[in-house]
């Protein structure tokens, strides 16, 4: 009997989501002969009635989908279904999603998401008692069990392009240029961009730093005859007193933002540096996927379908040691993946003399 599976994208969008959806549809349909249903706007598409779902066929990908940024299915990153906002306070609407998935008559779901999405999808799929395979994506690269996530490489490329443009203007005006990058609670984008973009300082939430240390790094560059410097700072890096730079949201709550400006102000106060700050923001999410992300998305999409075909479900397809593999969804949702002191990119940054703050001594070169 023909199998029917569904696919959705969830959490913040990133480059390579359409490439992953395409790989799932091409492999499931062409190789296994399965039907594939696309669920719109993550779990929202099966929570609402009528449900917002549509069949996906290889012909949907004859155009530019492999190359296109964003997600053709739409995504969701607000409105936790277990505490969904309502005029009477948060309500649990997960049962509507469970019923919706069952009503689709599917034999399994492939969910393309980051850490937050995997947590929500895991709980929902356990209640639905349906086979699930996850595919990790996020510009933040903070998903446990995989060397890299779909969208990370492209986001780093965007950050490096920004440094490439900041470098000549920093040089022309003898300025300190600060680039604030995304990454949520992790500094992966920052460390990779700092190494690839030739930064002098890289501040991330994982390592403590001091403004004195930053000043020293800038001055030491000056002693070597260079009168400008480049600083990369990850959005969740705290101020040096440990408090977080946050921007309030009009509807309540807050989001990361402002650490670049704060560091810039400190440097102006301390050493009178001529500082300019660039906050890169969502351009890191919107780029067309580069070749590495297209390959990764395609490999994980194909592998996820193979896992489903073998009945290896409750798993997340991952990329490790230049190959595909899988880890349990429990491992993915119960572990974090911060930048570690023995990460090769951290060791490389230290080896290049980039100031990273207090990286545990045992790991200093
Ligand atoms: N199905 C969902 N419904 C509502 N909100 C969701 C859903 N899935 C994830 N989210 C929320 O989306 C936000 C995105 O954060 P989170 O980083 O955890 O998502 P993600 O899937 O890991 O993707 P990314 O890291 O790329 O943003 C979180 O607040 C998370 O709770
Ligand atoms: O799109 P939003 O809700 O502003 O979320 C931004 C966050 O999402 C990400 O882009 C991806 O998780 C983070 O790097 C960033 O903190
Ligand atoms: Mg996440």
């Amino acid at each position: 009997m023909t199998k029917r599976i569904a696919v959705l994208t969830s959490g913040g969008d990133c480059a390579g989501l359409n490439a992953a959806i395409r790989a799932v549809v091409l492999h499931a349909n062409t190789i296994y002969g399965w039907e594939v249903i696309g669920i719109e706007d993550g779990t929202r598409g099966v929570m609402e009635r009528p449900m917002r779902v549509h069949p996906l066929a290889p012909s949907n990908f004859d155009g530019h989908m492999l190359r296109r940024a964003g997600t053709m299915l739409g995504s969701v990153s607000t409105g936790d279904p277990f505490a969904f906002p309502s005029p009477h306070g948060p309500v649990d609407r997960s049962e509507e999603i469970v019923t919706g998935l069952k009503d689709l008559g599917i034999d399994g779901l492939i969910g393309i998401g980051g850490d937050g999405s995997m947590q929500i999808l895991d709980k929902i799929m356990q209640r639905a008692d349906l086979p699930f395979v996850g595919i990790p994506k996020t510009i933040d690269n903070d998903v446990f069990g995989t060397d890299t996530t779909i969208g990370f490489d492209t986001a780093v490329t965007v950050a490096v392009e920004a440094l490439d443009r900041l470098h000549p203007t920093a040089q022309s005006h003898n300025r300190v240029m600060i680039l604030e990058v995304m990454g949520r609670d992790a500094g992966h984008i920052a460390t990779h961009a700092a190494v690839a973009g030739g930064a002098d300082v890289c501040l991330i939430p994982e390592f403590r730093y001091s403004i004195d240390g930053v000043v020293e790094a800038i001055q030491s560059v000056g002693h070597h005859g260079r009168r400008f410097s480049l600083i990369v700072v990850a959005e969740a890096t705290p101020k040096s007193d440990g408090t977080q730079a946050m921007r309030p949201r009009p509807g309540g709550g807050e989001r990361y933002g402002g650490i670049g400006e704060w560091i810039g102000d400190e440097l102006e106060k301390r050493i009178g540096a001529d500082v300019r700050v660039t906050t890169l923001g969502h351009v890191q999410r919107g780029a067309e996927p580069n070749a590495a992300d297209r390959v990764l998305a395609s490999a994980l999409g194909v592998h996820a379908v193979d896992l489903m075909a073998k009945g290896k479900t409750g798993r997340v397809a991952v990329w490790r040691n230049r190959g595909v593999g899988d880890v349990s969804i429990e491992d993915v949702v119960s572990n974090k993946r911060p930048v570690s002191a023995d990460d090769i990119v951290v060791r490389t940054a230290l080896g290049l003399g980039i100031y990273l703050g207090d990286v545990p001594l045992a790991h200093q070169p």
Side-chain angles (χ1 to χ4, degrees):
M1 207 178 81
T2 307
K3 262 197 185 204
R4 175 187 291 174
I5 61 166
V7 60
L8 60 76
T9 49
S10 177
D13 74 336
C14 62
L17 291 174
N18 291 320
I21 300 166
R22 172 180 178 269
V24 167
V25 173
L26 295 193
H27 196 52
N29 187 276
T30 316
I31 304 299
Y32 291 107
W34 299 348
E35 288 173 27
V36 183
I37 296 172
I39 299 175
E40 295 166 23
D41 296 344
T43 51
R44 203 68 59 80
V46 280
M47 186 168 88
E48 292 169 4
R49 301 293 181 271
M51 289 195 280
R52 289 183 289 109
V53 298
H54 59 266
L56 290 171
S59 58
N60 293 113
F61 301 92
D62 289 344
H64 296 109
M65 261 329 145
L66 174 63
R67 293 156 182 75
R68 195 173 293 171
T71 163
M72 67 187 291
L73 291 175
S75 192
V76 66
S77 63
T78 53
D80 178 353
F82 293 91
F84 199 79
S86 87
H88 317 290
V91 288
D92 184 350
R93 293 190 60 181
S94 58
E95 205 47 46
E96 292 161 68
I97 298 171
V98 169
T99 309
L101 287 169
K102 287 187 170 163
D103 288 351
L104 288 180
I106 51 172
D107 301 294
L109 172 73
I110 293 182
I112 308 170
D115 54 341
S117 300
M118 292 301 167
Q119 288 188 3
I120 289 174
L121 291 172
D122 181 38
K123 284 203 277 178
I124 285 171
M125 295 311 282
Q126 282 185 30
R127 290 193 193 183
D129 198 22
L130 281 169
F132 173 75
V133 176
I135 297 178
K137 67 85 211 163
T138 167
I139 64 165
D140 306 331
N141 204 27
D142 58 352
V143 180
F144 178 83
T146 186
D147 290 347
T148 186
T149 52
I150 297 167
F152 172 65
D153 204 79
T154 304
V156 170
T157 304
V158 172
V160 173
E161 282 171 7
L163 287 170
D164 291 349
R165 285 164 174 72
L166 290 171
H167 179 270
T169 174
Q171 187 169 29
S172 304
H173 291 272
N174 300 324
R175 281 178 170 157
V176 175
M177 287 291 181
I178 299 179
L179 179 68
E180 180 179 315
V181 298
M182 282 186 164
R184 221 178 269 279
D185 302 319
H188 296 285
I189 297 176
T191 52
H192 282 69
V195 167
D200 306 295
V201 172
C202 176
L203 306 177
I204 62 173
E206 289 87 343
F207 304 140
R208 286 184 69 86
Y209 69 94
S210 66
I211 291 294
D212 285 346
V214 178
V215 166
E216 212 174 291
I218 292 172
Q219 286 175 337
S220 125
V221 166
H223 294 146
H224 288 96
R226 177 146 63 77
R227 293 160 64 206
F228 68 95
S229 37
L230 298 176
I231 297 179
V232 179
V233 58
E235 61 179 352
T237 306
K239 297 176 194 170
S240 54
D241 66 1
T243 60
Q244 210 74 52
M246 303 296 286
R247 288 196 202 291
R249 303 170 90 150
E254 47 188 14
R255 62 162 63 96
Y256 289 130
I259 185 63
E261 292 288 350
W262 183 84
I263 289 168
D265 289 349
E266 289 299 303
L267 293 178
E268 283 188 352
K269 275 190 272 177
R270 296 271 184 102
I271 51 171
D274 190 12
V275 184
R276 295 294 184 275
V277 181
T278 302
T279 302
L280 206 47
H282 290 78
V283 293
Q284 291 158 103
R285 295 231 304 245
E288 289 193 343
N290 65 16
D293 270 326
R294 293 184 206 184
V295 171
L296 179 67
S298 302
L300 293 182
V302 166
H303 189 55
V305 172
D306 284 338
L307 289 171
M308 189 68 84
K310 288 181 193 146
K312 264 190 109 178
T313 55
R315 312 291 293 175
V316 175
V318 295
W319 183 257
R320 281 205 293 223
N321 304 322
R322 293 178 56 78
V324 290
D326 56 278
V327 294
S328 74
I329 181 92
E330 292 88 49
D331 279 348
V332 169
V333 300
S334 53
N335 289 288
K336 288 194 173 296
R337 193 191 170 219
V339 173
S340 76
D342 52 12
D343 183 313
I344 182 61
V345 180
V346 169
R347 294 173 66 89
T348 303
L350 292 172
L352 292 168
I354 298 174
Y355 174 72
L356 278 162
D358 299 328
V359 181
L361 261 180
H363 301 279
Q364 298 269 10

